[in-house]
Amino acid sequence: VLTGDSAGADLPWYQRRGQFSGKLFDSHCRHEGEEVAVVAAETPLQAFDAIRAIEVEYEVLPFVVDHNKALDPASPKVQDAGNMVGEPSVNARGDVEQGFAEAEVIVEHTFNTPYEIHAPMEPHGSVAKWDGNRLTIWDTTQGVYSVQQGVAQALGLPLANVRVIGHYMGGGFGAKLEVGKYTVYAALLAKKTGRPVKIFLPREDCMLVTGNRPGNTISIKVGATSDGLLRAIDYESIGSTGAYTYSAGTGSMAAYLYACDNVRIKDTTVYINAGKARPMRAPGFPQCAWVLEQAMDELARKLDIDPIELRLKNLPDSLQARSGIPFTSNHLAECLQKGAAEFGWFEARKRPSRDGHLRRGLGVAACFWGYAGGPPSTVIVKLYADGSVNLNMGASDIGCGTKTWAAMIVAEELGVAVDQIQIEHADTATTQYATSSGGSKTVPSDSPAVRAAAFAVKQRLLQMAADQLEVEVDDLELSNLLIKSRSDAEKNVKVTDLTELGRQGVAIGTGYREPNPEGKATFPFAAQFCEVEVNTRTGEIRLLRFLGAHDSGRVLNRLTFDNQVFGGIVMGVGFGMTEDRVLDRQTGKMTNANLHDYKIPTMMDMALEHSCLPMDIPDTEFNTTGTKGLGEPATIPTAAAIANAVADAIGIRVTDTPLNPTQLAQLIAKKEA
Ligand code: MOS
C-alpha cells in the first residue's frame, strides 16, 4: 500500500514539464476521484477488496463546480491564490466599436459547450518493471518520450534509465499525451514489491481523473455590411480546466478564420472543483466553431445570403496576425465550393423541406486548425542484404494508420513491396526520437523524416551499384530491387547481388525532419456539410447525410484519410448532441461517470450516409511529403454544421449543447406557444 505518507511517495507532481500540478498524493483533494492511496495485490479482485477495506476520513469542504460561479467572491477558492488560471488572454486588432458602428446587420448570442470526456475504448494504464536502477514501462500513450520525461522528472532518474514502450494503444484523443500519476504509482509499487506491477484504471476513474475538454460559456457579437462583409467580431469566452492548471481558451479560430479588421477576443480560464482538463482533439476549436459558425449562419439568414457565399466573401488571404502571415497553402474556398458541388448543396436547397411533421434542413460549417507540426523527428531505415527492410521511428501509432503510411513511403522510395518492411516504433530504448502523436501533426512531422531516411538508403544503394557497374550514379534508377542504367539496360544489378551490400550486411539511412518555412502559416482547412430531418413532434434529429471536404495537403492513404474524417464526425456528433459531464451541484460529484449515462454516439446515431472529399493538393512548401494534418480538423466544424442544419429545418437557433430531443422538444414547444 502506498499513500502520501509512504517513504518515497511524498512527491510533487508535474503534469507537463515544469508545470506544478499538486502532489503525487495530495491530502487536500480538490475534486471527486483524486488519488489518496494505491494498492498492489496478486489479483485485481484482491486489489479491489483491499481498496474497499481502506477507510478514508474526509473533511468535506465547500466547493464550486460551475465555471460561471467560480469568480463570485462568495465561491470557495479551489487554489490558495484564487480561481483565476493566469490572467485573461486578450487578442485584439482594429477598433471594434467603430466596426459595429459601420455594420448594418448584427448577430449576438451566448453559447454553452459541454465538458467532454475523451473516453478512449482502452482505459489508461501501465506496466512497470525494474532491473536494478533501470525502469521499463509499457504504457498506453500517445508519446513514449513524453512519458519517459515525466517519469524521470517525478522519480529523479536520468532519462536514459527510463525505458518506455508504447507499441499498441486503444485511443487517446489527447488524454494520453502526458504522463499519468498511475504510471508513477506502478513504478513505485514495482520498486517496493520487487516485482512487475500492472495498473489499469477502471472506467469510472478514467472519467474522473484522466482529463476532459473544458466546457465553455461564450458570447459572440458579429457585425457585417448589407453585402455581407464582416466589420467587427467581439468574442468572450470563459471555461474551466478543473482544479489544476491548463487552458480553457477557445478564441483563436474566431480571430483568424474570416477576414475582419476589427476583432476583440477575450479568453478567461478558471478553476473549479473537478478533474483536470487535458488537451482533447483540437483543444478550443470545436467550442469556437459551435459559436462562430452558428453566428455566421445566423448572419447569412439575416442577410438572405447563402451561407457558403457568405463564407467565400470573407476569406482572408493571409493569417491576420502581426502584419499578416502568408499561408503555404489554403484551399478553404475549394473545400466550400467543391464540397457544395459534391454534396448537391444548391439542388438540395431547392427541394421541399416539409413532409408532415418532418422538416429537412441543410447546414455547413468551416474551420482551420492552428497547429502544424515540424522538427524534431529522426528516422532510420535499414535495408538488409536479402532486400528486406527495417523502419525505425519513435512515433506512436495511436490508431490513425501511422505504421501504414510510413511503410508505404519507404516502399515507394525504395521500390520494394510494403510487406518487405518491418517496423520498430515507439520505444525510447531502441527507436529514434519523435514528439508525441497529437496535434494532427504526426504525418507532417514524421513522414518527411521517413522519406528522407529511405532516400538516404536509396542513394547508398545507387552508389554501391555505380561502383560495381562502373557507371555514373545519376544514370541509375532503382525499382523492384533492381538497379539499372537508364542509358544502357544491359548494365543492371539486383540489390541482393550488390557485392558491397553483402560485405556490409546492411545499408543504413538516417532521415531528419527539416525546419518549416519561416514566416509562413501551415494550416489545414475544412468545410463540412450535413442534411438533417427533424421530427417536430418529438424533437428527434436524424442525420441523413454528412460530407467532410478537407484540405490536408497530399493524401497518403485514402482509407486512413476517410476513416479519420468519419471518426472526427462521430466525435463531433458526440460533442454537439450526446456528451456532457454532469457535476451535481449538491455534492460536487459526477453523476454520469460510466458509459451508460455518459453518452458516446454509437452507429445508430451516425448519419445514414457519410462521404469524404479530400482536396488532395500537396503543400510542397510546407514539407517534403506535401502533407498537412487531418485528425483534428475532422471534428472541429461537425457540431456547428448540425446546429445550422437544425436552424435551417425549423428556424430555431440552439445555443447550448447537447442538441438532443429533450432540449429540442422544449424549444419547439416554446416557439409554438
Ligand atoms: Mo491531440 S488533443 O493533440 O491528441
Side-chain angles (χ1 to χ4, degrees):
V1 180
L2 288 180
T3 70
D5 293 333
S6 308
D10 183 19
L11 297 170
W13 180 245
Y14 301 92
Q15 193 79 54
R16 311 185 129 184
R17 195 186 293 268
Q19 193 180 79
F20 180 70
S21 202
K23 297 173 73 179
L24 189 59
F25 295 100
D26 200 331
S27 60
H28 179 180
C29 297
R30 292 178 176 80
H31 60 86
E32 183 199 12
E34 196 152 5
E35 302 86 342
V36 295
V38 288
V39 166
E42 295 287 341
T43 70
L45 289 177
Q46 198 181 26
F48 285 128
D49 282 350
I51 291 276
R52 267 211 302 261
I54 296 174
E55 287 180 27
V56 183
E57 284 179 32
Y58 287 106
E59 178 195 351
V60 179
L61 301 174
F63 56 85
V64 56
V65 292
D66 177 348
H67 59 241
N68 287 312
K69 298 217 173 99
L71 296 181
D72 283 359
S75 288
K77 285 182 183 175
V78 179
Q79 294 284 351
D80 293 342
N83 290 345
M84 289 286 291
V85 181
E87 287 301 303
S89 106
V90 176
N91 179 359
R93 61 176 181 264
D95 181 338
V96 174
E97 275 68 37
Q98 180 61 31
F100 284 119
E102 291 162 19
E104 289 151 299
V105 182
I106 287 174
V107 167
E108 197 169 2
H109 280 296
T110 297
F111 295 84
N112 280 288
T113 62
Y115 285 82
E116 195 183 10
I117 306 280
H118 303 74
M121 278 217 242
E122 183 196 35
H124 291 242
S126 313
V127 175
K129 174 176 174 281
W130 291 86
D131 297 290
N133 64 357
R134 189 177 178 187
L135 173 62
T136 302
I137 289 168
W138 289 262
D139 207 72
T140 169
T141 180
Q142 293 170 241
V144 289
Y145 286 94
S146 130
V147 173
Q148 180 198 42
Q149 184 273 321
V151 170
Q153 180 173 14
L155 298 179
L157 291 168
L159 289 169
N161 291 36
V162 181
R163 177 182 186 184
V164 181
I165 301 168
H167 286 160
Y168 300 97
M169 61 96 76
F173 310 112
K176 294 174 182 170
L177 279 171
E178 303 163 355
V179 66
K181 284 183 178 177
Y182 48 88
T183 304
V184 177
Y185 295 147
L188 289 173
L189 287 168
K191 185 118 198 172
K192 188 159 179 158
T193 58
R195 296 171 62 182
V197 167
K198 175 178 181 175
I199 181 168
F200 262 79
L201 301 193
R203 179 63 64 183
E204 184 180 3
D205 291 355
C206 288
M207 294 194 138
L208 293 173
V209 302
T210 63
N212 51 76
R213 181 192 294 286
N216 290 85
T217 300
I218 305 171
S219 303
I220 192 170
K221 182 176 173 187
V222 297
T225 58
S226 59
D227 53 0
L229 294 174
L230 287 175
R231 294 305 305 138
I233 301 173
D234 196 2
Y235 181 102
E236 190 161 343
S237 165
I238 183 169
S240 178
T241 60
Y244 297 99
T245 305
Y246 177 60
S247 169
T250 63
S252 64
M253 193 167 82
Y256 303 126
L257 184 60
Y258 296 114
C260 186
D261 294 335
N262 308 300
V263 175
R264 181 169 57 210
I265 310 286
K266 185 177 173 194
D267 276 302
T268 301
T269 301
V270 298
Y271 294 117
I272 60 171
N273 291 100
K276 181 187 167 290
R278 281 185 174 173
M280 180 165 177
R281 204 170 187 171
F285 278 62
Q287 295 98 308
C288 186
W290 177 255
V291 171
L292 176 69
E293 288 302 273
Q294 290 208 65
M296 288 297 282
D297 193 71
E298 194 68 20
L299 199 56
R301 299 171 74 74
K302 277 199 173 177
L303 289 163
D304 199 21
I305 297 176
D306 185 276
I308 292 172
E309 293 303 326
L310 180 69
R311 285 172 174 81
L312 289 169
K313 272 174 183 277
N314 287 288
L315 296 184
D317 51 18
S318 69
L319 186 72
Q320 301 157 91
R322 300 193 283 276
S323 53
I325 301 170
F327 299 108
T328 49
S329 65
N330 175 349
H331 303 292
L332 181 53
E334 287 95 324
C335 291
L336 287 160
Q337 288 161 329
K338 291 184 179 163
E342 175 85 5
F343 194 71
W345 174 269
F346 295 103
E347 298 81 343
R349 296 263 286 176
K350 291 186 200 119
R351 289 204 296 264
S353 65
R354 184 187 195 108
D355 177 8
H357 60 286
L358 303 176
R359 305 275 187 283
R360 277 192 310 97
L362 297 166
V364 62
C367 75
F368 72 88
W369 166 237
Y371 199 65
S377 177
T378 305
V379 170
I380 287 179
V381 169
K382 295 192 282 190
L383 185 141
Y384 291 95
D386 68 352
S388 64
V389 178
N390 255 192
L391 162 61
N392 179 303
M393 56 190 262
S396 299
D397 188 336
I398 62 173
C400 316
T402 300
K403 287 186 284 179
T404 303
W405 59 249
M408 287 170 64
I409 289 170
V410 174
E412 187 174 305
E413 202 64 62
L414 288 179
V416 300
V418 168
D419 60 11
Q420 295 267 40
I421 297 163
Q422 296 298 326
I423 300 178
E424 309 292 337
H425 79 297
D427 180 337
T428 60
T430 61
T431 67
Q432 308 312 306
Y433 189 82
T435 50
S436 299
S437 291
S440 304
K441 59 143 204 45
T442 313
V443 165
S445 298
D446 296 296
S447 70
V450 172
R451 188 175 182 199
F455 186 77
V457 169
K458 179 169 154 179
Q459 292 312 108
R460 184 95 188 88
L461 297 173
L462 292 178
Q463 189 57 54
M464 289 176 183
D467 294 345
Q468 186 163 333
L469 299 170
E470 296 179 346
V471 297
E472 291 297 315
V473 71
D474 293 346
D475 183 41
L476 292 173
E477 61 186 17
L478 167 65
S479 77
N480 284 328
L481 292 178
L482 183 73
I483 297 173
K484 61 173 192 264
S485 158
R486 289 195 188 90
S487 55
D488 179 0
E490 298 281 285
K491 293 199 165 173
N492 63 71
V493 58
K494 284 189 191 160
V495 166
T496 48
D497 291 337
L498 285 168
T499 320
E500 182 63 15
L501 182 61
R503 224 181 339 247
Q504 301 278 344
V506 66
I508 297 177
T510 306
Y512 298 99
R513 174 61 158 83
E514 300 295 331
N516 290 340
E518 266 180 51
K520 295 283 177 83
T522 55
F523 297 155
F525 296 86
Q528 293 186 344
F529 304 76
C530 80
E531 181 165 17
V532 303
E533 183 184 82
V534 179
N535 183 327
T536 57
R537 288 180 184 158
T538 62
E540 284 167 287
I541 302 159
R542 277 174 93 207
L543 302 178
L544 301 177
R545 297 193 292 142
F546 232 106
L547 169 70
H550 286 262
D551 166 26
S552 288
R554 183 181 179 192
V555 178
L556 295 182
N557 179 298
R558 187 60 198 270
L559 180 64
T560 62
F561 192 100
D562 286 4
N563 283 343
Q564 275 283 29
V565 170
F566 300 152
I569 291 170
V570 173
M571 227 163 176
V573 169
F575 172 81
M577 303 180 78
T578 67
E579 296 183 47
D580 192 15
R581 179 188 72 185
V582 179
L583 297 182
D584 178 15
R585 284 180 195 170
Q586 301 296 317
T587 62
K589 292 187 178 188
M590 181 173 173
T591 62
N592 57 344
N594 59 72
L595 288 179
H596 178 81
D597 298 309
Y598 183 89
K599 298 208 177 292
I600 288 172
T602 72
M603 284 308 291
M604 300 297 284
D605 300 301
M606 299 321 301
L608 300 178
E609 193 184 304
H610 280 116
S611 45
C612 172
L613 182 71
M615 298 303 112
D616 201 4
I617 304 167
D619 185 339
T620 50
E621 198 183 342
F622 178 19
N623 61 63
T624 58
T625 54
T627 50
K628 300 194 283 185
L630 176 63
E632 285 161 306
T635 205
I636 296 168
T638 305
I642 298 166
N644 291 342
V646 168
D648 184 48
I650 59 173
I652 291 176
R653 179 63 53 195
V654 181
T655 55
D656 297 357
T657 64
L659 173 40
N660 62 12
T662 312
Q663 186 189 179
L664 203 54
Q666 287 173 1
L667 292 174
I668 291 168
K670 200 167 126 196
K671 188 183 178 205
E672 283 173 0

